[in-house]
Amino acid sequence: GENVEQHPSTLSVQEGDSAVIKCTYSDSASNYFPWYKQELGKRPQLIIDIRSNVGEKKDQRIAVTLNKTAKHFSLHITETQPEDSAVYFCAASRGYGGSQGNLIFGKGTKLSVKP
Amino acid sequence: SQTIHQWPATLVQPVGSPLSLECTVEGTSNPNLYWYRQAAGRGLQLLFYSVGIGQISSEVPQNLSASRPQDRQFILSSKKLLLSDSGFYLCAWSEGQGNQPQHFGDGTRLSIL
Protein backbone atom coordinates (compact mmCIF):
# COMPACT_ATOMS: atom_id res chain seq x y z
CA GLY A 1 0.00 0.00 0.00
CA GLU A 2 0.84 3.66 -0.10
CA ASN A 3 3.43 5.07 2.28
CA VAL A 4 4.00 8.81 2.74
CA GLU A 5 7.19 10.14 4.33
CA GLN A 6 7.33 13.77 5.48
CA HIS A 7 10.40 15.87 6.35
CA PRO A 8 11.42 17.63 8.44
CA SER A 9 9.46 16.75 11.56
CA THR A 10 10.18 20.21 13.01
CA LEU A 11 11.11 23.44 11.28
CA SER A 12 11.94 26.80 12.79
CA VAL A 13 12.27 29.94 10.67
CA GLN A 14 12.48 33.67 11.20
CA GLU A 15 9.49 35.78 10.28
CA GLY A 16 9.74 36.77 6.65
CA ASP A 17 11.83 33.77 5.62
CA SER A 18 10.57 30.93 3.45
CA ALA A 19 9.67 27.46 4.69
CA VAL A 20 9.73 24.25 2.66
CA ILE A 21 8.25 20.92 3.70
CA LYS A 22 8.83 17.83 1.59
CA CYS A 23 6.91 14.59 1.21
CA THR A 24 7.63 11.43 -0.74
CA TYR A 25 5.15 8.73 -1.65
CA SER A 26 5.60 5.14 -2.72
CA ASP A 27 2.58 4.36 -4.91
CA SER A 28 3.08 5.64 -8.45
CA ALA A 29 -0.70 5.44 -8.97
CA SER A 30 -1.31 8.19 -6.41
CA ASN A 31 -2.80 11.20 -8.12
CA TYR A 32 -4.15 13.56 -5.46
CA PHE A 33 -1.99 15.41 -2.91
CA PRO A 34 -3.56 17.74 -0.31
CA TRP A 35 -1.85 19.71 2.43
CA TYR A 36 -3.45 20.42 5.80
CA LYS A 37 -2.62 22.93 8.52
CA GLN A 38 -3.47 22.09 12.11
CA GLU A 39 -3.21 24.70 14.81
CA LEU A 40 -2.84 23.54 18.39
CA GLY A 41 -6.01 21.85 19.61
CA LYS A 42 -7.86 22.56 16.38
CA ARG A 43 -8.99 20.52 13.43
CA PRO A 44 -6.79 20.04 10.33
CA GLN A 45 -7.76 22.47 7.61
CA LEU A 46 -7.10 22.04 3.92
CA ILE A 47 -4.82 24.81 2.69
CA ILE A 48 -3.91 23.68 -0.82
CA ASP A 49 -4.05 20.57 -2.97
CA ILE A 50 -2.63 19.42 -6.29
CA ARG A 51 -3.55 16.71 -8.75
CA SER A 52 -1.13 14.74 -10.83
CA ASN A 53 -1.98 16.50 -14.07
CA VAL A 54 -0.20 19.68 -12.91
CA GLY A 55 3.30 20.30 -11.61
CA GLU A 56 2.74 23.39 -9.52
CA LYS A 57 -0.07 25.31 -7.88
CA LYS A 58 0.07 28.61 -6.06
CA ASP A 59 -2.28 30.46 -3.73
CA GLN A 60 -0.89 33.75 -2.44
CA ARG A 61 2.06 32.90 -0.15
CA ILE A 62 1.56 29.15 -0.43
CA ALA A 63 2.65 26.93 -3.31
CA VAL A 64 2.87 23.20 -3.88
CA THR A 65 5.09 21.46 -6.40
CA LEU A 66 4.80 17.89 -7.61
CA ASN A 67 7.45 15.71 -9.23
CA LYS A 68 5.72 12.55 -10.39
CA THR A 69 8.89 10.94 -11.69
CA ALA A 70 10.64 11.25 -8.36
CA LYS A 71 7.38 10.72 -6.45
CA HIS A 72 7.73 13.71 -4.22
CA PHE A 73 5.80 16.89 -3.55
CA SER A 74 6.61 19.96 -1.50
CA LEU A 75 4.87 22.81 0.29
CA HIS A 76 6.46 26.24 0.00
CA ILE A 77 5.45 29.11 2.27
CA THR A 78 6.98 32.49 1.46
CA GLU A 79 7.19 35.57 3.69
CA THR A 80 6.29 33.52 6.74
CA GLN A 81 4.31 35.13 9.54
CA PRO A 82 3.85 34.04 13.19
CA GLU A 83 0.31 32.90 12.38
CA ASP A 84 1.79 30.33 10.00
CA SER A 85 3.05 28.45 13.08
CA ALA A 86 1.22 25.10 13.14
CA VAL A 87 1.62 21.44 12.27
CA TYR A 88 1.41 20.76 8.54
CA PHE A 89 0.38 17.38 7.12
CA CYS A 90 0.81 16.14 3.59
CA ALA A 91 -1.30 13.32 2.18
CA ALA A 92 -1.70 11.21 -0.95
CA SER A 93 -4.41 9.06 -2.46
CA ARG A 94 -4.61 6.98 -5.58
CA GLY A 95 -8.07 6.17 -6.76
CA TYR A 96 -11.78 6.54 -6.90
CA GLY A 97 -13.96 5.60 -3.98
CA GLY A 98 -13.57 2.94 -1.35
CA SER A 99 -10.20 2.35 0.21
CA GLN A 100 -8.38 3.55 -2.90
CA GLY A 101 -9.74 7.02 -2.32
CA ASN A 102 -8.53 7.16 1.25
CA LEU A 103 -5.87 9.67 2.11
CA ILE A 104 -2.55 8.41 3.46
CA PHE A 105 -1.08 11.09 5.71
CA GLY A 106 2.50 11.97 6.50
CA LYS A 107 3.44 12.25 10.17
CA GLY A 108 3.43 16.03 10.18
CA THR A 109 5.87 18.95 10.39
CA LYS A 110 5.73 21.36 13.28
CA LEU A 111 6.52 24.80 11.88
CA SER A 112 7.54 27.58 14.25
CA VAL A 113 7.85 31.12 12.91
CA LYS A 114 9.83 33.37 15.24
CA PRO A 115 9.00 37.08 15.23
CA SER B 1 -22.48 25.13 1.87
CA GLN B 2 -21.45 21.93 3.59
CA THR B 3 -20.84 21.75 7.32
CA ILE B 4 -19.74 19.00 9.67
CA HIS B 5 -20.71 18.80 13.31
CA GLN B 6 -19.00 16.65 15.88
CA TRP B 7 -19.80 16.31 19.55
CA PRO B 8 -19.00 16.40 22.35
CA ALA B 9 -15.94 18.64 22.16
CA THR B 10 -14.38 17.11 25.26
CA LEU B 11 -15.14 13.98 27.21
CA VAL B 12 -13.69 12.42 30.34
CA GLN B 13 -14.62 8.80 30.88
CA PRO B 14 -13.56 6.09 33.34
CA VAL B 15 -11.88 2.92 32.14
CA GLY B 16 -14.47 0.28 31.26
CA SER B 17 -17.26 2.74 30.49
CA PRO B 18 -19.04 2.87 27.10
CA LEU B 19 -18.48 5.53 24.45
CA SER B 20 -20.56 7.16 21.78
CA LEU B 21 -19.27 10.01 19.61
CA GLU B 22 -21.48 11.45 16.94
CA CYS B 23 -20.77 13.21 13.67
CA THR B 24 -23.23 14.69 11.22
CA VAL B 25 -22.75 16.36 7.87
CA GLU B 26 -25.07 18.91 6.29
CA GLY B 27 -25.35 20.25 2.77
CA THR B 28 -24.28 17.16 0.83
CA SER B 29 -25.60 13.72 -0.06
CA ASN B 30 -23.89 10.33 0.07
CA PRO B 31 -20.62 11.61 1.47
CA ASN B 32 -17.70 9.37 2.35
CA LEU B 33 -17.26 9.53 6.12
CA TYR B 34 -14.16 8.88 8.21
CA TRP B 35 -13.09 8.52 11.83
CA TYR B 36 -9.50 9.34 12.76
CA ARG B 37 -7.62 9.24 16.04
CA GLN B 38 -4.73 11.54 16.81
CA ALA B 39 -2.51 10.87 19.80
CA ALA B 40 -0.87 13.92 21.41
CA GLY B 41 1.74 15.39 19.07
CA ARG B 42 1.25 12.59 16.56
CA GLY B 43 -0.18 12.04 13.11
CA LEU B 44 -3.64 11.03 11.94
CA GLN B 45 -4.59 7.36 12.20
CA LEU B 46 -7.58 6.30 10.11
CA LEU B 47 -9.89 4.11 12.19
CA PHE B 48 -12.99 3.62 10.03
CA TYR B 49 -14.44 4.83 6.77
CA SER B 50 -17.86 4.49 5.21
CA VAL B 51 -19.00 4.91 1.62
CA GLY B 52 -22.71 4.51 2.38
CA ILE B 53 -25.40 3.70 4.92
CA GLY B 54 -24.53 0.56 6.86
CA GLN B 55 -21.19 0.19 5.04
CA ILE B 56 -18.26 0.34 7.45
CA SER B 57 -14.64 -0.56 6.78
CA SER B 58 -12.15 -0.88 9.60
CA GLU B 59 -8.53 0.06 9.04
CA VAL B 60 -7.03 -1.18 12.29
CA PRO B 61 -8.06 -3.80 14.83
CA GLN B 62 -9.18 -2.10 17.98
CA ASN B 63 -11.58 -1.71 20.83
CA LEU B 64 -13.84 0.62 18.86
CA SER B 65 -16.67 0.21 16.36
CA ALA B 66 -18.46 2.53 13.97
CA SER B 67 -21.95 2.72 12.55
CA ARG B 68 -23.70 4.76 9.90
CA PRO B 69 -27.45 4.61 10.57
CA GLN B 70 -28.26 7.50 8.23
CA ASP B 71 -26.65 8.95 5.13
CA ARG B 72 -25.04 11.87 6.93
CA GLN B 73 -24.55 10.43 10.40
CA PHE B 74 -21.48 8.57 11.59
CA ILE B 75 -21.09 7.19 15.11
CA LEU B 76 -18.00 5.92 16.91
CA SER B 77 -18.64 3.57 19.81
CA SER B 78 -17.03 1.36 22.37
CA LYS B 79 -18.55 -1.02 24.88
CA LYS B 80 -15.62 -0.77 27.31
CA LEU B 81 -13.02 1.97 27.07
CA LEU B 82 -9.32 1.30 27.65
CA LEU B 83 -6.69 3.77 28.82
CA SER B 84 -5.13 3.51 25.37
CA ASP B 85 -8.32 4.89 23.80
CA SER B 86 -7.43 8.39 24.98
CA GLY B 87 -6.82 10.86 22.18
CA PHE B 88 -8.24 13.42 19.84
CA TYR B 89 -10.96 11.91 17.64
CA LEU B 90 -11.72 13.57 14.34
CA CYS B 91 -14.58 12.94 11.97
CA ALA B 92 -14.18 13.91 8.33
CA TRP B 93 -16.19 13.83 5.13
CA SER B 94 -15.48 13.95 1.41
CA GLU B 95 -17.55 13.91 -1.73
CA GLY B 96 -18.65 10.40 -2.57
CA GLN B 97 -16.80 10.08 -5.87
CA GLY B 98 -13.27 10.60 -7.00
CA ASN B 99 -10.24 11.94 -5.24
CA GLN B 100 -11.64 14.78 -3.22
CA PRO B 101 -10.37 16.64 -0.18
CA GLN B 102 -11.47 15.55 3.24
CA HIS B 103 -12.99 18.14 5.55
CA PHE B 104 -12.60 17.65 9.27
CA GLY B 105 -14.89 18.32 12.20
CA ASP B 106 -13.68 20.17 15.29
CA GLY B 107 -12.79 16.93 17.04
CA THR B 108 -13.49 15.34 20.41
CA ARG B 109 -10.76 15.26 23.03
CA LEU B 110 -11.27 12.02 24.95
CA SER B 111 -9.51 11.42 28.25
CA ILE B 112 -9.76 8.06 29.95
CA LEU B 113 -9.18 7.96 33.71
Side-chain angles (χ1 to χ4, degrees):
Chain A
E2 175 65 282
N3 183 50
V4 176
E5 299 282 343
Q6 183 172 347
H7 299 281
S9 57
T10 60
L11 179 60
S12 181
V13 300
Q14 286 295 131
E15 182 177 0
D17 288 350
S18 296
V20 180
I21 302 170
K22 298 180 179 180
C23 288
T24 60
Y25 59 99
S26 60
D27 189 342
S28 57
S30 289
N31 54 18
Y32 175 63
F33 308 92
W35 285 89
Y36 288 83
K37 174 184 180 182
Q38 186 179 28
E39 297 177 3
L40 189 62
K42 302 288 184 66
R43 61 189 171 100
Q45 290 192 294
L46 179 73
I47 55 173
I48 195 168
D49 57 8
I50 191 168
R51 299 182 189 278
S52 59
N53 57 344
V54 298
E56 183 174 0
K57 185 176 179 180
K58 189 173 182 180
D59 182 4
Q60 299 182 0
R61 296 186 297 108
I62 293 173
V64 57
T65 58
L66 172 65
N67 183 326
K68 289 175 58 181
T69 302
K71 290 189 286 188
H72 68 71
F73 56 111
S74 300
L75 178 71
H76 305 253
I77 306 175
T78 58
E79 301 173 25
T80 54
Q81 301 167 4
E83 51 265 39
D84 294 328
S85 297
V87 177
Y88 291 81
F89 292 96
C90 65
S93 77
R94 70 186 293 263
Y96 286 83
S99 63
Q100 292 186 337
N102 290 345
L103 292 176
I104 307 299
F105 285 88
K107 293 186 176 180
T109 297
K110 184 176 181 181
L111 173 64
S112 300
V113 180
K114 298 181 178 180
Chain B
S1 64
Q2 301 91 353
T3 57
I4 179 169
H5 302 280
Q6 191 180 340
W7 67 93
T10 59
L11 190 59
V12 180
Q13 293 283 99
V15 169
S17 63
L19 173 74
S20 181
L21 303 181
E22 189 163 344
C23 173
T24 59
V25 180
E26 296 177 358
T28 187
S29 296
N30 195 30
N32 282 0
L33 296 172
Y34 309 85
W35 278 111
Y36 289 87
R37 176 169 55 206
Q38 188 175 34
R42 303 293 294 274
L44 297 158
Q45 180 187 35
L46 179 63
L47 302 175
F48 300 96
Y49 71 93
S50 172
V51 300
I53 296 174
Q55 300 179 60
I56 309 294
S57 296
S58 174
E59 288 294 292
V60 293
Q62 59 202 296
N63 182 41
L64 302 167
S65 62
S67 62
R68 185 170 176 174
Q70 299 180 45
D71 181 45
R72 289 168 290 177
Q73 183 185 28
F74 205 24
I75 297 171
L76 184 68
S77 304
S78 174
K79 292 182 179 178
K80 283 187 176 182
L81 285 167
L82 306 173
L83 282 174
S84 58
D85 291 324
S86 292
F88 190 44
Y89 287 83
L90 290 156
C91 180
W93 73 273
S94 66
E95 293 291 347
Q97 296 180 354
N99 283 327
Q100 299 294 330
Q102 291 181 18
H103 305 278
F104 289 86
D106 287 332
T108 295
R109 189 160 303 282
L110 176 63
S111 298
I112 310 299
L113 303 179

